[in-house]
Amino acid sequence: MALKTTTLAPILATIRPLSLSMHELEVELAFPPEAVAEGAVAALPAWTPGSYLVRDYARLLDRLKVVDGLGQPRPTEKVDKQSWRLAPSASGLTVTYRLFCNELTVRTNHADATHAHLVGAATFLYLEGQGGRPYLVRFEGFPKGWRVATSLPRRDGAYLAVDHDTLVDSPFELGTFRKHAFHLRGCEFQLAVTGQHPGDEARIVEVTEAIVGVCARIFGGFPFHRYLFLLTFSPRQRGGLEHRDCTSLLADPQQLERSEGYWDLFTLIAHEFFHVWNVKRMRDKVLGPFDYRGEVVTRLLWFHEGFTSFMQYVIVLKAGAVPWHWVARKLGASWTDNLGRAGRMEQSLEEASFDAWIRHYKPSEFSANSTVNYYDKGAMVAWMLDADLRLASEGARGLEDFFGLLWERCGDGPLGDEELRGAFRDLAGRDPGPFWSRYIQGRAELDASAIEKAYGLRLAAKAPWETLTGSDAEDLDALRRARTYAGLTFQGNGPAIQNVAPGSPAARAGLGYGMEIVAVDGWRTASAQEVQNRIGDGAPGDIFEVLASDRGRVGSYVLTLGENPLRTTYISADAKATAGQKAAFQAWTGQPFPARRS
Ligand SMILES: [Zn+2]
């Protein structure tokens, strides 16, 4: 894309380490005279796009000082939690401040002696009403040998962001990362990989190329000239954040010791890369340009995140990066999670999207009973819609054609529910109303019939006692234990209750969030496992005396066990699948119809 041109004088940003071991950086911003001659308000965003939580990055900024172009100190007034009023100056103003960077995630700053990952929203002040002003960013004083990876172009020895939105959308990675590159359809792709891992990095690059190739086929090419993958390995981490021309990814190095770990990483890469189109370009109108002062709400996260969470599997399957049996297990797990979640009766996908800021990003013990996950349920609804499109086209078209059509119609611009319904109407040849009112605006149960019919699959819901294998399946005790149900989940390994399923035996007994079960039938229980073992000694209908501590008082509760209502969804190939169903499966996944039960 041609760079936007601007005649505004740029803000010159310089970033220096203060103490890397203390995770401290200094930022200097030189505002040109024209920007501050009449005074201005400088602010730090409260949040960063793609992660819908007010993070108040300003809490990690201090020692703010202002001098004018003649080097004279100038007063400032802090006007709200994240904004400072700058005095008028005809000679320009230079603002410096300290940043604390000690949170390694894809949406926060992290700097230490090995690297720095900088998020624009957490780093750079912007001038209110002057978001269109460009920035030139320089780095000074970092350890010898460190390099910079960013999707921003070089200009005059610095990195140029044409405006503040672009700066926020272009994270920086500094350090001694390993660089990889490939070219496809005239575009350059770079990977900057940080951190040690025991895996095969060449394989990651190769599969990334295949993933990128599948997306190019869906959308007919790429909407950029250069794209950057920032991939950082750090123990017990997983995350991704999408940007227009790059993505930040975090992965656990240990996951590369198992095949599943690679498959999971490939799926994450596919997910974030698909966002190049879905959410970074085709997007709800509030999702760019952004208001950084506070919450920006959209009803479309079921589409932006849920549908992307379905397409991630289509992409890795078509790229030949993962086996079908693994995807079948993941899709089955999402189906199972949704059916086991009481909140599915309380909240629609549209409502879950709208409330993402206060619910999905602020989970509580109430979440499972009051919300749906717009990622998981959105993906399952995407699959149902995909199957509907297959059935309407004798297997020829699916969700990727839905995306191709949307891209043709909306391209790099805003899109709303009307455009989504319109694309469905035109591809399926019928009114989208009933589907939308059931599954997107309503709370109807997921329905697998179109998926089964389109692809020759079976989605079987099995009770816990039907899933026992080997000698367990013959063991009467194991069968009885699988049948018993209290409706309790615990916080980690301890005996404190995390959740009580509505209407369950535990709910009827009067047990609740946060209580600690100290004994079952007179036997001391010190862990969740001990509670489960004691309860597991019973059968549906058996009565237990449970002692539980609640805010320091121990009470007695009568628990009558029930039969386990939870079901696990298993996805398998139908032995009687027709040639048409098998062809549709192949059109969907790019893989042959599974030969045996998977
Ligand atoms: Zn996403």
Side-chain angles (χ1 to χ4, degrees), residues 50 240-242 271-272 275 278-279 304-306 308-309 312 375:
L241 189 64
E242 66 275 9
H271 180 104
E272 300 307 333
H275 276 317
N278 187 13
V279 90
H304 288 318
E305 291 299 348
T308 297
S309 297
Q312 68 190 22
Y375 282 84

Side-chain angles (χ1 to χ4, degrees), residues 365 487-500 505-520 524-528 531 546-559:
E365 64 273 30
L488 287 169
T489 51
F490 294 91
Q491 304 172 9
N493 300 325
I497 297 172
Q498 162 72 32
N499 191 24
V500 172
R508 285 198 296 273
L511 294 167
Y513 302 126
M515 287 184 183
E516 197 176 336
I517 297 185
V518 296
V520 174
R524 177 78 173 100
T525 49
S527 66
V531 176
V546 172
L547 290 187
S549 153
D550 186 19
R551 289 189 293 117
R553 296 285 296 172
V554 175
S556 174
Y557 302 83
V558 178
L559 175 68

Side-chain angles (χ1 to χ4, degrees), residues 220-413:
F222 302 111
F224 45 67
H225 293 306
R226 193 164 79 90
Y227 187 91
L228 173 67
F229 293 90
L230 298 175
L231 171 57
T232 299
F233 286 94
S234 184
R236 295 176 299 282
Q237 294 266 26
R238 185 187 192 277
L241 189 64
E242 66 275 9
H243 302 285
R244 279 173 70 87
D245 300 339
C246 89
T247 179
S248 287
L249 305 160
L250 264 176
D252 186 337
Q254 279 198 321
Q255 77 183 79
L256 298 189
E257 285 166 359
R258 302 169 290 121
S259 294
E260 284 87 349
Y262 279 95
W263 301 336
D264 181 68
L265 176 59
F266 299 153
T267 305
L268 177 66
I269 290 170
H271 180 104
E272 300 307 333
F273 192 67
F274 195 73
H275 276 317
V276 161
W277 294 272
N278 187 13
V279 90
K280 293 313 301 185
R281 287 179 174 80
M282 297 189 285
R283 59 187 187 270
D284 188 351
K285 61 182 184 306
V286 299
L287 298 178
F290 296 96
D291 179 350
Y292 297 102
R293 288 170 302 180
E295 293 91 336
V296 158
V297 293
T298 165
R299 289 189 164 81
L300 289 184
L301 291 179
W302 58 269
F303 170 69
H304 288 318
E305 291 299 348
F307 277 36
T308 297
S309 297
F310 174 74
M311 288 305 295
Q312 68 190 22
Y313 294 121
V314 175
I315 294 163
V316 289
L317 283 166
K318 288 208 163 181
V322 304
W324 160 251
H325 69 79
W326 181 75
V327 173
R329 210 162 69 225
K330 302 296 275 186
L331 293 172
S334 286
W335 202 276
T336 298
D337 286 350
N338 185 68
L339 288 182
R341 198 175 172 97
R344 74 190 192 285
M345 303 306 208
E346 311 292 339
Q347 196 185 44
S348 70
L349 277 177
E350 213 173 69
E351 290 166 337
S353 303
F354 197 77
D355 274 356
W357 292 81
I358 60 164
R359 295 181 194 269
H360 184 80
Y361 278 87
K362 291 187 176 177
S364 72
E365 64 273 30
F366 190 45
S367 298
N369 296 349
S370 67
T371 67
V372 292
N373 182 325
Y374 55 80
Y375 282 84
D376 281 350
K377 187 175 179 189
M380 297 304 97
V381 168
W383 194 15
M384 286 162 52
L385 193 143
D386 169 77
D388 269 0
L389 298 179
R390 292 280 170 208
L391 291 174
S393 63
E394 293 180 347
R397 287 193 301 270
L399 204 67
E400 59 185 90
D401 303 279
F402 177 81
F403 274 102
L405 183 59
L406 281 175
W407 179 241
E408 232 175 85
R409 290 179 176 176
C410 304
D412 185 357

Side-chain angles (χ1 to χ4, degrees), residues 145-161:
W146 279 27
R147 298 187 290 221
V148 178
T150 175
S151 54
L152 293 175
R154 297 287 304 224
R155 186 70 51 89
D156 307 329
Y159 297 94
L160 171 70

